[in-house]
Amino acid sequence: MNEIIFDNKSLLCRLILKAAQMGVLKKAIFSKPCDKNIKKTVLMPKEISGKVMLQAEIFHTDNKATHENTDISDAAKIAEYIEGYMQINLLTTAGDCEYKVSSSGKSVVIGGKKLEGELFAQKSFARVEIGGNNKTKKYILSGNEEFLKCLGVSDKNGRVYDKKQAKFRQINRFLELVRDVEKHLPKESIRICDLCCGKSYLSFAVYHYFSVIKGMQVKMTGMDLKPDVIEYCSDVARKVGFDGLEFICGDIRAYEPREHVDMVISLHACDIATDIVLRKATECQADVILSTPCCHHDLNKKLDCGALAFVGQHSMLRQKLCDAATDALRLKLLEAKGYDVSALELIDPEETPKNILLRGIRKKNFDTNGKAAKAAMDEYLTAYSYLTGGKSPEFT
C-alpha cells in the first residue's frame, strides 16, 4: 500500500511541476489538510521579481493567509505539500485530475494518467496568463486629497509619507466600513458627529467621502476636550473649504445637537470615553454608530470573579480578557438600546492592537421597553455583575 501512495504522490508532483514548466498550470487546490490549523492551500504560478515561481497561499483557521514561494523545479517542496493533504485538485489548460487519500491511507489520482499522457506528448496547449505578486490595492482615497496634505499624511505631490502609510490604510479601511452602512443612511443630506475626534483624520475623511465623492449635503461636528486640537482642526477645515465641518471644544456629555444625528463615529476614545460616546450616540438615536475603542482600564480595575481568577492572575491575559469582555458588554448594551451590533476588524492587528470596531445599526420601531430590550439589558447586567463581583455598571 505504501508503494501505491508513493507512486501516486510522485505522479501528482510530476504533473504539477510539468504543468508549471509548460505554462499551462491554472492552480492546484489542496484541501482536507492533516493540520487542523489550516483550511486549505492554493498553489498558483506567479511572476516574482521577473521570475516565474509557484506561490502557495495557505488559508488558516484564524482567517489569516500566509504565502510561500517555491521554484517550479522544486520537487521536494511540492511533495511536502502533497504529504499534508487528503485531497488535491489540479487544474490545467491541458486537462484536470484529482488526487484523493482514503481514511485507510489508500490513494488514487483520478484522471492522472490521461493528463500525464497529454502533458508529456509535447502537444501545444493554451498558456496561462501569469500575474505578478505586486498588486496595488485600490483605495477610496488616493493620497492626493488636499485635506491629507494639510494633515501631514501625504506630501504636496500626493505621495503618502512612509511613516503615515499605516494611518492612510486605517483611514481608507474606515471609509470602506462607512460604505458598507450607506444603505442605512440618508441619500441626499446627512448629519454626522465625530465624538472625541482628536486630530480628526476620520472627520475630514468621512466629510470628504459624503460631500465630495458622494455629492451630498453634509453637516458634521467634531468634538474634543483639547482646545489646541480643536483650533488646529478648525484651521484645516477652513483651508480645504469644508464649510459644513465644524469643531467644538467641550465635554460630549453636555453636547445637545439641535437636529437628528444620522451617524456617530469615534476613533480610539480612551477607556470609558468610548462608553460616553456610545451613550451619547444612543441618546441621539443615531442610525449608525461606528466606534473603535482604545485602552480598556475600567473593567481591569474592577474585575473580581473567582471563576476567572486563573486568568486574572496573569496581567497580560487579564488585560486581554478585560478588552474582549468590555467590548462585548458594550455591544450587549447597544442591543438593549435597539441596535443590531457587530465587532469588526478595522485594520491588521500587526499595525495596531487597537483594531476592533464596534458597529451598531439602529432597528426601526424597536421598543426599548419591550421583551427583547429587557432580555438584552438583563444579560448585560448579569454579565457585568458576574465579572465584577456584584458591582453595578456605570453605564446603563
Side-chain angles (χ1 to χ4, degrees):
M1 183 172 66
N2 289 337
E3 185 177 351
I4 296 174
I5 294 175
F6 176 78
D7 286 347
N8 283 326
K9 287 179 181 176
S10 296
L11 172 60
L12 181 63
C13 180
R14 193 161 64 249
L15 293 176
I16 292 173
L17 293 176
K18 182 66 173 178
Q21 292 160 9
M22 291 176 62
V24 299
L25 173 65
K26 295 178 181 177
K27 59 184 170 181
I29 304 168
F30 295 70
S31 52
K32 297 184 180 178
C34 300
D35 185 344
K36 300 306 179 185
N37 293 315
I38 294 175
K39 289 182 179 179
K40 67 175 182 179
T41 291
V42 178
L43 190 72
M44 295 180 67
K46 290 278 186 179
E47 184 176 337
I48 301 171
S49 299
K51 181 180 179 182
V52 176
M53 305 282 285
L54 287 175
Q55 184 174 89
E57 186 171 19
I58 304 166
F59 296 88
H60 301 266
T61 53
D62 62 0
N63 293 323
K64 291 186 179 180
T66 55
H67 298 85
E68 295 178 354
N69 298 322
T70 302
D71 192 274
I72 59 173
S73 62
D74 192 343
K77 187 62 177 178
I78 301 304
E80 182 183 320
Y81 286 132
I82 294 171
E83 186 72 33
Y85 296 83
M86 304 291 283
Q87 180 173 327
I88 302 167
N89 292 84
L90 174 60
L91 311 179
T92 80
T93 60
D96 306 332
C97 70
E98 183 176 51
Y99 169 83
K100 285 186 173 183
V101 181
S102 68
S103 56
S104 65
K106 185 177 181 180
S107 70
V108 63
V109 183
I110 303 170
K113 287 296 182 183
K114 180 180 179 181
L115 180 56
E116 183 181 36
E118 293 292 317
L119 291 176
F120 287 88
Q122 303 301 319
K123 294 183 180 179
S124 179
F125 300 100
R127 294 180 66 86
V128 173
E129 184 176 345
I130 299 174
N133 200 37
N134 299 316
K135 293 184 178 179
T136 302
K137 179 176 173 61
K138 186 173 178 59
Y139 290 113
I140 293 175
L141 302 178
S142 67
N144 200 41
E145 292 78 11
E146 195 61 30
F147 75 89
L148 289 178
K149 298 175 184 178
C150 288
L151 292 172
V153 175
S154 53
D155 63 21
K156 64 180 181 180
N157 298 315
R159 179 189 174 276
V160 177
Y161 292 112
D162 292 341
K163 64 181 180 180
K164 291 294 185 180
Q165 289 290 339
K167 176 60 69 176
F168 181 68
R169 289 190 291 271
Q170 181 192 68
I171 294 169
N172 275 286
R173 172 59 179 154
F174 195 90
L175 290 183
E176 290 172 359
L177 293 167
V178 168
R179 185 173 58 191
D180 290 343
V181 298
E182 275 188 77
K183 61 184 177 182
H184 304 286
L185 295 167
K187 305 301 181 187
E188 296 182 1
S189 63
I190 189 170
R191 178 76 173 92
I192 307 168
C193 289
D194 184 354
L195 303 180
C196 297
C197 61
K199 197 174 178 181
S200 304
Y201 293 103
L202 295 189
S203 299
F204 287 99
V206 171
Y207 184 92
H208 174 88
Y209 178 76
F210 284 107
S211 178
V212 179
I213 297 177
K214 305 301 292 185
M216 296 171 61
Q217 291 293 321
V218 184
K219 185 174 183 181
M220 187 168 183
T221 301
M223 194 166 191
D224 200 273
L225 286 169
K226 300 175 182 177
D228 56 331
V229 170
I230 293 302
E231 183 179 354
Y232 169 80
C233 293
S234 298
D235 184 54
V236 172
R238 284 192 294 270
K239 286 180 179 178
V240 298
F242 284 2
D243 299 332
L245 177 57
E246 64 173 358
F247 290 95
I248 300 174
C249 182
D251 190 330
I252 63 175
R253 285 171 290 195
Y255 178 56
E256 296 294 339
R258 296 176 182 175
E259 60 277 294
H260 174 69
V261 176
D262 300 301
M263 181 165 69
V264 168
I265 65 173
S266 180
L267 178 68
H268 297 159
C270 188
D271 199 19
I272 64 169
T274 291
D275 299 286
I276 295 170
V277 167
L278 296 178
R279 171 183 275 184
K280 178 58 65 175
T282 57
E283 287 175 355
C284 296
Q285 293 189 313
D287 297 308
V288 172
I289 303 171
L290 299 176
S291 176
T292 301
C294 185
C295 45
H296 302 70
H297 300 310
D298 190 59
L299 183 58
N300 197 330
K301 293 182 288 188
K302 297 175 181 176
L303 184 66
D304 182 15
C305 178
L308 296 173
F310 72 103
V311 179
Q313 65 183 326
H314 305 286
S315 59
M316 183 184 296
L317 299 179
R318 179 188 180 95
Q319 187 58 61
K320 288 182 179 292
L321 170 66
C322 291
D323 290 353
T326 297
D327 288 337
L329 286 168
R330 287 165 171 163
L331 292 176
K332 183 56 64 176
L333 186 55
L334 284 179
E335 277 188 37
K337 302 292 185 180
Y339 286 80
D340 282 320
V341 297
S342 303
L344 307 169
E345 186 175 81
L346 175 62
I347 199 167
D348 194 319
E350 291 184 3
E351 297 195 10
T352 173
K354 307 167 189 176
N355 71 319
I356 300 299
L357 180 135
L358 308 180
R359 185 179 72 185
I361 309 294
R362 190 165 68 93
K363 300 176 183 176
K364 303 300 181 185
N365 304 315
F366 182 82
D367 183 0
T368 54
N369 296 311
K371 290 182 179 180
K374 185 178 184 304
M377 182 60 76
D378 286 346
E379 284 186 64
Y380 168 73
L381 294 173
T382 299
Y384 192 93
S385 178
Y386 175 77
L387 290 167
T388 61
K391 294 182 177 69
S392 298
E394 180 179 351
F395 299 94
T396 55

